[in-house]
């Protein structure tokens, strides 16, 4: 690498080095040899330091020295988490001169080599003499291979680094490792707190509507106003920021706050998960145990939420905050908001935000609901936002430049600055202008440096498109010009195709697939800086995701218009996820999502037929159920057709078809219960039953398949019974009973089969009773009771069998 190339790369490093240090905390490793490093031009160093709010002495300092100063020396708490490794001099006199110059300032032909050497020695001396750092300094040596012309003998140094890291990690994580594993509810609460922190950062303005919303939340229960208020607005109008600000304001009040923001995590859009978490919080407030069964149905959740909400409201004002109703799962239950009570208890308030649409129409239909449109920003508020963003980077925007932004209008004549998202994007883009752009200003403009820079800012502000969607596209185009089309597209597409972003380790593998270029840490850091207003790291997994949904839409419009290419990319993502550990939460929750998006029926079938661990099976089932529910308004359901087609795949083995059918019966059917139309579930169960019927007929000796067939008849009977088709249901239960009777007779010691036989009689008794045939009902219940008594007597410690016996007695006694 030439000196010019090295310095060009150093300039890129300078743009991102201080941000990189922030991301690398809490542990920093410093490697020091015999090179002080490149000293950037003073104005560039000053710009980087100012943006990072570093006020130290910059004169004559290299990038390496700046990083040490900023990352460690000015941060007292960082000293005990940083380790310095200082290499002893190499045998420079026996090395070729041009190579020695690479490793040592003193052997560099450039002028100032001795001066740089002296600066390096002073830096080393300062580190060694620092009271807190002196025990964190390690000296190591290396050898020089004269034949291969390379440094060798670093194995001992590598072991030393590893030992130091393990020691620091163990010290830092000791308390964490002994802490209990957080529940998914706790993780959802953390995600919400993180979201609120990000969206409320630097919140200014909106005082009038904030006061109005707080007043609504706290208004007297006898005031006669609406209990529910829905705030609607266009994309980017600031609904989520206002939600987050309101959340923080209400935390200061004497209220019980239940909140959720859709789309911020894997479960945040799931109606059942939201209700389950709120029920837990209500139960904690009431100081009672959670009333939910182990696997609550949707009806259970709504019933208990309504009940506990009323009980809590007797003690304290309860405020429910819901952000982004339109980003809830796209199921009829979510779109029609049947997750919410139709009649809200006294002393409760609901505040929701949404785009105008089906969800807001459904909320408006609930008695006592008002809908309010979020007004655009006023110019005074816009000015405050401009100042707030610029202060974040320790800068100010010239009034003339700010005025250009304030006067920009859309084609419809509306002020662009009335949209908070547009304003933030525009100001962020102006704050991104750096020395590379200033160099262009030197070439294109006349006057003093200050005049050239000012003209550049004015021209850039004037060139910004007036709408959010066009501004995002402009930003992507600018990133392409700086980083190259392929690399910019690769990163953008990887994130856009995800549901909630990717970890950096995932991006290392995915971006090269979509860009056809190798991963480059420096390019990623520079592009991340360019996208700093558009990317956010979310959750415990620290996934990079788009800050706003509009960015995802902009990427889709720019890069994802080729549907076949998109399917291929989803396939590549699914393949990548298959390489992760089975315990990895992204593999568990996302692999089936991408197989569905890839329309890869064969791979999806084989995946669902695999012997999946419980969490991975649950994730795959959740994805399939959500996909089916999104299409329940269509007849026939195209997704159901796609999934049932797996069973017709001739390339599958009998064992794979059996596994899929079992998952249909026991997992997918359970997930769809109380959400999908009974007709959909019936079709699913019948398809699984057909598989078992064929296989059981082909091999009557296979007791496992015989039991599967009997269970299928039971599930089908249950769905038919729920539809009121009692005679058809009874026929299915009789087949269930006959199948289990044969199995139980063949192996009387199999207690599970005996219990199934008891259940089959109980199911038949329920139908007879519903038909009014009490004689047959009592006969069936008595048969069930007889088996239940034997099982309970055989194992008095089995609580499940004791409960079965109790139920049997009740059934007999009620007839």
């Amino acid at each position: 690498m030439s000196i010019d190339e090295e310095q060009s790369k150093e300039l890129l490093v300078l743009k991102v080095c201080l941000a990189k240090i922030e991301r690398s905390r809490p542990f920093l490793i410093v490697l020091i040899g015999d090179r002080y490093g490149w000293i950037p031009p003073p104005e560039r160093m000053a710009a980087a330091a100012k943006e990072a709010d570093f006020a130290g002495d910059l004169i004559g300092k290299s990038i390496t020295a700046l990083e040490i100063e900023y990352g460690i020396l000015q941060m007292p708490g960082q000293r005990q988490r940083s380790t310095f490794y200082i290499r002893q001099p190499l045998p420079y006199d026996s090395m070729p001169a041009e190579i020695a110059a690479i490793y040592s300032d003193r052997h560099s032909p450039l002028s100032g080599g001795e001066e740089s050497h002296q600066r390096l020695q002073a830096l080393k001396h300062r580190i060694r003499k620092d009271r807190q750092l002196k025990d964190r300094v390690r000296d190591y040596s290396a050898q020089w291979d004269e034949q291969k012309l390379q440094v060798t003998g670093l194995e001992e140094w590598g072991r030393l680094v590893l030992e130091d890291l393990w020691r620091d990690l163990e010290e830092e994580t000791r308390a964490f490792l002994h802490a209990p594993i957080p529940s998914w509810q706790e993780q959802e609460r953390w995600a919400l707190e993180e979201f609120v922190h990000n969206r409320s950062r630097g919140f200014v303005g909106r005082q009038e509507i904030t006061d109005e919303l707080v007043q609504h939340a706290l208004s007297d229960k006898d005031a006669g106003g609406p209990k529910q208020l829905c705030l609607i607005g266009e994309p980017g109008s600031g609904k989520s920021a206002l939600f987050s600000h309101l959340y923080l304001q209400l935390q200061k009040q004497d209220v019980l706050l239940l909140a959720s923001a859709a789309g911020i995590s894997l479960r945040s859009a799931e109606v059942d998960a939201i209700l389950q978490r709120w029920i837990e919080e209500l139960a904690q407030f009431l100081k009672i145990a959670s009333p939910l069964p182990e696997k609550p149905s949707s009806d259970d959740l709504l019933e208990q939420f309504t009940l506990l909400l009323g009980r809590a409201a007797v003690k304290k004002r309860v405020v429910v905050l819901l952000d982004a109703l339109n980003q809830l799962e796209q199921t009829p239950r979510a779109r029609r908001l049947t997750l919410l009570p139709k009649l809200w208890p006294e002393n409760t308030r609901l505040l929701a935000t949404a785009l105008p649409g089906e969800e807001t129409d459904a909320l408006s239909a609930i008695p006592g609901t008002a809908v309010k449109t979020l007004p655009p920003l006023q110019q005074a508020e816009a000015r405050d936002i401009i100042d707030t963003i610029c202060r974040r980077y320790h800068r100010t925007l010239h009034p003339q430049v700010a005025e250009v932004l304030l006067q920009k209008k859309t084609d419809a004549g509306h002020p662009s600055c009335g949209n908070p998202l547009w304003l933030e994007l525009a100001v962020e883009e102006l704050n991104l202008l750096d020395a590379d752009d200033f160099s262009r200003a030197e070439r294109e403009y006349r006057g003093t440096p200050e005049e050239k820079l000012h003209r550049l800012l004015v021209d850039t502000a004037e060139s910004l498109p007036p709408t959010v969607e066009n501004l995002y596209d402009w930003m992507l185009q600018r990133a392409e010009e700086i980083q190259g089309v392929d690399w910019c597209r690769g990163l953008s597409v990887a994130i856009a195709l995800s549901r909630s972003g990717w970890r950096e380790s995932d991006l290392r593998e995915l971006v090269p697939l979509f860009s056809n270029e190798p991963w480059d840490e420096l390019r990623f850091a520079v592009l991340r800086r360019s996208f700093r207003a558009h990317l956010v790291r979310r959750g415990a997994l620290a996934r990079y995701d788009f800050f706003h949904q509009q960015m995802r839409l902009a990427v889709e419009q720019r890069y994802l218009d080729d549907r076949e290419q998109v399917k291929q990319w989803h396939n590549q993502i699914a393949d990548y996820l298959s390489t992760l550990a089975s315990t990895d939460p992204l593999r568990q929750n996302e692999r089936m999502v991408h197989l569905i998006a890839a329309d890869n029926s064969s791979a999806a079938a084989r995946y669902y037929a695999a012997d999946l661990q419980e969490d991975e099976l649950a994730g795959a089932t959740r994805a399939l159920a959500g996909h089916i529910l999104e299409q329940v308004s269509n007849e026939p359901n195209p997704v159901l057709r796609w999934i049932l087609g797996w069973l017709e795949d001739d390339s599958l083995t009998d064992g794979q078809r059996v596994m899929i059918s079992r998952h249909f019966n026991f997992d997918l059917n359970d997930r769809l219960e109380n959400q999908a139309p009974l007709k959909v579930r019936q079709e699913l169960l019948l398809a699984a039953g057909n598989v078992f019927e064929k296989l059981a007929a082909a091999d009557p000796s296979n007791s496992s398949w015989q039991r599967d067939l009997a269970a299928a008849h039971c599930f089908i009977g249950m769905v038919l019974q729920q539809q009121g088709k009692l005679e058809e249901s009874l026929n299915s239960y009789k087949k269930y009973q006959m199948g289990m009777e044969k199995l139980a007779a063949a192996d009387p010691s199999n207690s599970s089969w005996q219990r199934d036989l008891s259940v089959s009689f109980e199911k038949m008794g329920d139908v007879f009773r519903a038909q009014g045939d009490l004689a047959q009902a009592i006969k069936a219940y008595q048969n069930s009771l007889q088996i239940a008594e034997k099982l309970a007597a055989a194992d008095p410690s089995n609580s499940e069998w004791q409960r079965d016996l109790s139920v049997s007695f009740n059934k007999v006694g009620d007839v």
Side-chain angles (χ1 to χ4, degrees):
M1 179 184 293
S2 70
I3 296 297
D4 288 342
E5 289 173 332
E6 183 178 359
Q7 292 187 356
S8 177
K9 188 172 183 178
E10 293 283 5
L11 283 173
L12 288 177
V13 171
L14 182 59
K15 291 181 178 181
V16 299
C17 66
L18 302 187
K20 184 72 172 178
I21 287 174
E22 290 295 333
R23 294 177 58 252
S24 300
R25 297 186 195 278
F27 304 111
L28 296 176
I29 292 176
V30 181
L31 309 181
I32 302 178
D34 289 320
R35 286 285 302 273
Y36 184 61
W38 179 63
I39 300 175
E43 66 278 6
R44 299 240 176 157
M45 185 78 91
K50 182 178 181 181
E51 184 172 305
D53 195 24
F54 173 62
D57 180 20
L58 302 174
I59 298 176
K61 283 191 168 59
S62 67
I63 289 182
T64 302
L66 173 66
E67 291 175 326
I68 293 173
E69 290 271 5
Y70 174 77
I72 301 172
L73 298 181
Q74 80 159 10
M75 298 284 184
Q78 189 62 50
R79 280 172 156 80
Q80 294 307 309
R81 291 170 170 161
S82 305
T83 309
F84 293 80
Y85 299 90
I86 300 179
R87 177 175 50 77
Q88 297 301 305
L90 295 169
Y92 297 117
D93 292 339
S94 62
M95 298 166 62
E98 67 276 11
I99 295 180
I102 295 174
Y103 288 96
S104 170
D105 285 327
R106 272 189 163 173
H107 293 77
S108 172
L110 294 177
S111 60
E114 182 61 32
E115 181 180 358
S116 293
H117 174 74
Q118 295 302 325
R119 291 180 186 275
L120 177 62
Q121 295 307 111
L123 178 62
K124 289 180 180 178
H125 179 75
R126 181 182 175 187
I127 292 168
R128 291 185 187 278
K129 293 299 182 182
D130 187 288
R131 181 175 56 85
Q132 292 178 296
L133 290 178
K134 61 182 181 180
D135 293 333
R136 308 283 300 182
V137 177
R138 310 282 187 268
D139 290 290
Y140 74 98
S141 60
Q143 288 78 49
W144 176 254
D145 189 321
E146 295 185 2
Q147 300 298 319
K148 297 181 179 179
L149 298 179
Q150 65 182 29
V151 174
T152 61
L154 295 174
E155 293 79 11
E156 183 60 34
W157 168 76
R159 284 192 290 271
L160 179 63
V161 173
L162 189 60
E163 289 173 3
D164 287 339
L165 273 176
W166 274 120
R167 184 187 63 252
D168 288 346
L169 282 169
E170 287 175 358
E171 179 67 26
E172 193 76 20
T173 61
R174 186 174 293 116
F176 173 79
L177 292 175
H178 289 87
I181 298 175
S183 65
W184 68 262
Q185 293 95 329
E186 290 174 313
Q187 295 179 50
E188 287 298 301
R189 293 186 191 103
W190 294 345
L192 178 63
E193 293 288 343
E194 181 183 56
F195 174 78
V196 167
H197 171 76
N198 286 331
R199 288 303 177 97
S200 62
R201 183 182 61 166
F203 184 91
V204 294
R206 301 290 199 189
Q207 191 60 51
E208 183 178 341
I209 193 167
T210 297
D211 291 344
E212 181 181 342
L213 295 175
V214 170
Q215 178 59 33
H216 167 78
L218 303 179
S219 61
D220 188 85
K221 61 182 180 181
D222 299 322
K227 290 182 183 177
Q228 299 86 240
L229 179 63
C230 183
L231 194 65
I232 62 174
E234 64 180 4
S237 58
K239 299 183 296 297
S240 291
L242 185 56
F243 162 88
S244 300
H245 179 61
L246 191 62
Y247 177 92
L248 295 176
Q249 295 302 306
L250 290 175
Q251 279 190 322
K252 303 172 186 177
Q253 304 295 328
D254 185 27
V255 300
L256 175 60
L257 190 60
L258 305 176
S260 186
I264 65 172
S265 65
L266 294 178
R267 290 180 181 264
S268 63
E270 296 178 8
V271 170
D272 284 356
I274 295 170
L275 288 179
Q276 194 165 343
R277 178 167 59 82
W278 284 350
I279 289 168
E280 181 183 271
E281 292 172 11
L282 287 167
Q284 288 175 351
F285 171 75
L286 294 168
K287 298 180 180 180
I288 62 173
S290 172
L292 293 176
E294 183 178 352
K295 292 184 177 180
S297 68
S298 299
D299 290 341
D300 292 333
L301 291 167
L302 180 56
E303 178 184 354
Q304 290 300 328
F305 175 66
T306 304
L307 176 63
L308 296 188
L309 181 66
R311 290 179 60 184
V314 173
K315 298 176 177 290
K316 179 181 282 193
R317 167 60 55 89
V318 182
V319 180
V320 177
L321 288 181
L322 261 174
D323 185 45
L325 294 179
N326 50 285
Q327 291 188 46
L328 291 171
E329 59 188 3
Q330 293 302 294
T331 63
R333 185 159 168 258
R335 291 196 297 265
R336 297 167 190 163
L337 295 186
T338 55
L339 77 158
L340 298 176
K342 290 300 181 184
L343 293 175
W344 282 70
E346 289 297 328
N347 207 29
T348 62
R349 294 291 184 271
L350 168 68
L351 286 166
T353 71
L355 296 176
E358 185 176 354
E359 295 83 5
T360 53
D361 292 341
L363 185 56
S364 301
I366 297 178
T369 299
V371 176
K372 182 177 181 62
T373 300
L374 183 61
L377 291 173
Q378 300 299 309
Q379 278 213 358
E381 294 175 315
R383 291 182 190 277
D384 287 342
I385 290 176
I386 291 173
D387 292 341
T388 299
I389 295 173
C390 289
R391 279 197 300 271
R392 194 181 301 162
Y393 303 110
H394 311 284
R395 298 173 180 171
T396 57
L397 204 59
H398 190 280
Q400 184 183 355
V401 180
E403 197 62 26
V404 172
L405 299 181
L406 295 172
Q407 295 305 319
K408 193 175 288 288
K409 288 183 169 36
T410 67
D411 291 341
H414 302 304
S416 298
C417 67
N419 184 295
L421 178 59
W422 181 90
L423 185 62
E424 181 171 3
L425 296 179
V427 178
E428 288 281 0
E429 286 300 317
L430 293 177
N431 276 291
L432 273 172
L433 294 178
D434 56 23
D436 293 334
D437 301 284
F438 301 157
S439 297
R440 179 168 58 85
E442 289 286 334
R443 296 192 302 270
E444 296 182 2
Y445 301 113
R446 296 181 180 180
T448 66
E450 291 77 13
E451 290 171 338
K452 294 176 181 179
L453 174 57
H454 176 68
R455 191 67 252 169
L456 171 65
L457 288 168
V458 171
D459 286 355
T460 302
E462 289 177 343
S463 69
L464 295 176
T467 62
V468 168
E469 55 270 28
N470 291 335
L471 183 52
Y472 267 126
D473 197 62
W474 182 92
M475 179 273 297
L476 289 170
Q477 182 178 346
R478 184 175 183 273
E480 289 175 356
E481 293 169 357
I482 297 173
Q483 293 299 316
V485 174
D486 292 340
W487 227 87
C488 180
R489 182 192 62 220
L491 178 63
S492 301
V493 163
I495 297 175
L497 293 178
S498 73
R499 287 199 298 172
S500 301
W502 301 109
R503 301 161 297 199
E504 186 167 333
S505 59
D506 305 313
L507 293 173
R508 287 175 179 272
E509 303 297 327
L510 294 175
V511 172
L513 294 177
F514 303 149
S515 66
N516 296 315
E517 294 189 20
W519 176 261
D520 187 315
E521 185 69 31
L522 180 55
R523 290 180 76 181
F524 174 59
V526 174
L527 190 55
R528 188 178 59 240
R529 179 177 182 272
S530 297
F531 282 4
R532 66 188 178 190
H534 322 295
L535 285 182
V536 62
R537 294 180 83 185
R538 287 183 173 155
L541 297 180
R543 290 168 297 160
Y544 284 99
D545 196 9
F546 293 133
F547 187 79
H548 200 281
Q549 187 68 13
Q550 288 298 109
M551 173 67 166
R552 192 178 301 274
L553 296 176
V555 171
E556 290 175 358
Q557 291 174 6
R558 189 172 185 86
Y559 302 123
L560 302 179
D561 57 340
D562 186 337
R563 295 184 63 183
E564 292 306 313
Q565 176 64 73
V566 170
K567 289 180 181 180
Q568 181 180 336
W569 282 333
H570 277 295
N571 262 322
Q572 289 177 302
I573 292 174
D575 288 344
Y576 161 69
L577 292 171
S578 71
T579 67
L580 301 179
S582 61
T583 55
D584 190 295
L586 291 188
R587 168 175 168 154
Q588 292 172 348
N589 292 289
E590 301 300 302
R591 190 177 173 195
M592 182 61 83
V593 170
H594 290 283
L595 288 172
I596 292 169
D599 194 22
N600 194 336
S601 175
S602 180
R606 282 165 174 74
Y607 179 44
Y608 209 50
D611 185 18
L612 302 176
Q613 297 297 316
E614 181 180 355
D615 287 342
E616 190 167 7
L617 174 59
T621 300
R622 190 161 50 242
L624 290 172
H627 201 43
I628 290 173
L629 292 170
E630 287 178 6
Q631 298 292 328
V632 293
S633 59
N634 295 322
E635 182 62 37
N637 188 311
V639 178
L640 184 62
R641 300 267 72 74
W642 186 78
I643 293 173
L644 295 182
W646 298 351
L647 301 178
E648 305 301 323
D649 187 341
D650 292 336
S651 66
L652 293 181
T653 65
D654 287 344
Q656 287 174 317
R657 269 189 285 272
V658 164
M659 187 65 77
I660 291 173
S661 298
R662 285 174 181 165
H663 291 330
F664 283 179
N665 277 346
F666 293 98
D667 301 292
L668 189 52
N669 174 54
D670 185 56
R671 185 74 188 177
L672 293 172
E673 188 175 4
N674 295 320
Q675 297 191 69
L678 292 169
K679 184 178 179 181
V680 168
R681 291 174 56 206
Q682 180 180 337
E683 196 169 352
L684 180 76
L685 295 169
L686 284 171
N690 288 337
V691 169
F692 293 131
E693 194 158 19
K694 291 177 183 177
L695 293 175
D699 186 1
S701 65
N702 189 318
S703 59
S704 178
W705 291 353
Q706 300 296 329
R707 198 271 176 183
D708 285 329
L709 175 58
H713 287 310
C714 177
F715 287 121
I716 293 168
M718 292 168 65
V719 171
L720 290 169
Q721 185 179 356
Q722 287 176 289
Q723 295 177 77
K725 300 177 180 179
L726 298 183
E727 196 60 38
E728 294 178 55
S729 173
L730 182 61
N731 288 336
S732 290
Y733 287 146
K734 285 180 178 178
K735 292 178 182 178
Y736 174 36
Q737 182 266 326
M738 291 170 61
M740 293 315 305
E741 196 165 46
K742 290 180 181 178
L743 290 170
D747 185 1
S749 65
N750 190 316
S751 57
S752 293
W753 291 352
Q754 297 294 330
R755 182 174 185 270
D756 276 345
L757 180 58
S758 175
V759 170
S760 71
F761 282 121
E762 179 188 321
K763 294 291 186 184
M764 291 168 59
D766 290 342
V767 177
F768 283 131
R769 183 177 182 181
Q771 290 177 325
D773 191 343
L774 300 185
Q776 288 294 332
I778 191 65
K779 182 179 178 181
Y781 287 149
Q782 286 174 339
N783 286 335
S784 175
L785 174 60
Q786 185 179 8
I787 300 171
E789 283 181 320
K790 290 180 180 178
L791 291 172
D795 187 358
S797 65
N798 190 313
S799 59
E800 187 175 17
W801 291 351
Q802 300 300 323
R803 186 181 66 247
D804 288 345
L805 179 59
S806 175
V807 170
S808 291
F809 277 123
N810 286 335
K811 294 275 187 179
V812 173
D814 285 345
V815 177

